[in-house]
Amino acid sequence: MPESNPIIDQLFEDEKLTEKQKKIIEAAIDSFSEKGYAGTSTSEIAKKAGVAEGTIFRHYKTKKDLLLSIIAPMLAKSIAPFVIKDIYKVLNHKYERYEDFLRAMITNRDIFLKQNLPLFKILIQEIPFHPELKEQFMEHIAIKIYSRFKDLVMYFQEKGDIIQIPAHSVIRLNISTLMGYFFTRYLIFPDNEWNDEEEIENMVQFLLHGLSPQK
């Protein structure tokens, strides 16, 4: 069983789950993050949790109900407030250069993901296939961050640090680059030898200058 996670512990406290429910949810998080929702059976979860499979269905009608019972409350009550507060430390800081903001943002998210990797893996793997999770993510995280990010982009455009293209395009290019790195780093090739400092610096330079040689 994975070590106790403070976010999960907080959820347990809020929801007043039984010990068996805690074991089921911990086992489900471990299995979903390792094998994906589609590749995990309720019998596997039950075995890992040390309970009968029927016990799962006494608490959750379907496997999807179990998934939503994990992700939806965590997004609303635990992950979203933590992410918003944490990322605002970066977004609200006064940076002289866009380059400094980028470096701080990427490092901040990298640290967060390392501390919450199983939940991140479930979100990334399952959001495209479950509209309910996408709606929760948009409502509790994406919309709240977007407006602040847009203000920063426009501020640095006025300073001449970013070219004059629509702010939403700048945001999408930043997010797609970061998510591409995190997806590759933590889901596709997690066992490769990574020089994270070098990779982060390469990302910063790519977002600032693209792939064309500087003239």
Side-chain angles (χ1 to χ4, degrees):
M1 191 66 62
E3 292 183 3
S4 179
N5 184 298
I7 292 178
I8 299 172
D9 288 342
Q10 182 63 47
L11 181 65
F12 292 164
E13 181 181 352
D14 292 346
E15 299 295 320
K16 294 182 171 55
L17 303 179
T18 67
E19 288 301 316
K20 285 187 177 181
Q21 281 178 294
K22 292 179 185 180
K23 290 179 180 178
I24 290 168
I25 287 179
E26 289 181 15
I29 290 173
D30 191 37
S31 297
F32 288 154
S33 67
E34 180 182 346
K35 302 178 67 175
Y37 171 81
T40 299
S41 67
T42 51
S43 61
E44 291 176 273
I45 295 171
K47 182 177 180 181
K48 186 170 289 190
V51 301
E53 188 174 7
T55 303
I56 294 178
F57 294 114
R58 280 200 293 273
H59 294 289
Y60 311 98
K61 293 181 181 180
T62 64
K63 185 173 71 167
K64 186 166 185 176
D65 283 340
L66 175 56
L67 174 70
L68 295 178
S69 76
I70 293 170
I71 299 302
M74 285 183 175
L75 276 173
K77 300 177 183 179
S78 298
I79 296 179
F82 182 80
V83 169
I84 296 297
K85 180 180 178 181
D86 191 41
I87 204 169
Y88 271 17
K89 292 177 183 177
V90 177
L91 292 176
N92 291 334
H93 188 83
K94 299 295 183 182
Y95 294 96
E96 288 297 320
R97 303 179 302 166
Y98 189 62
E99 177 177 353
D100 298 329
F101 162 73
L102 278 178
R103 195 171 286 108
M105 172 65 77
I106 296 171
T107 302
N108 174 275
R109 294 299 82 201
D110 193 47
I111 292 171
F112 175 81
L113 292 178
K114 286 176 180 176
Q115 294 173 341
N116 300 275
L117 189 55
L119 295 175
F120 167 70
K121 290 173 70 176
I122 295 173
L123 283 173
I124 293 300
Q125 291 168 171
E126 305 307 334
I127 279 181
F129 306 106
H130 302 281
E132 305 94 329
L133 297 183
K134 183 178 179 180
E135 291 173 8
Q136 288 277 332
F137 179 80
M138 292 297 295
E139 176 185 353
H140 295 291
I141 296 179
I143 292 174
K144 295 177 181 178
I145 292 175
Y146 177 82
S147 61
R148 186 71 189 96
F149 205 155
K150 182 179 178 181
D151 290 342
L152 270 173
V153 169
M154 295 175 68
Y155 166 74
F156 283 114
Q157 284 180 325
E158 290 177 3
K159 289 190 65 176
D161 283 5
I162 303 176
I163 60 175
Q164 293 294 328
I165 62 174
H168 60 79
S169 294
V170 176
I171 293 171
R172 281 202 295 263
L173 289 168
N174 277 269
I175 291 175
S176 60
T177 300
L178 267 63
M179 292 305 296
Y181 165 69
F182 292 140
F183 189 82
T184 305
R185 168 69 176 84
Y186 294 110
L187 297 183
I188 300 180
F189 302 115
D191 298 326
N192 283 16
E193 292 186 6
W194 290 81
N195 184 329
D196 290 328
E197 290 186 6
E198 182 178 314
E199 292 294 336
I200 288 173
E201 188 59 32
N202 288 342
M203 262 195 296
V204 169
Q205 296 306 316
F206 169 73
L207 287 168
L208 289 172
H209 308 294
L211 296 177
S212 297
Q214 295 184 46
K215 297 180 180 179

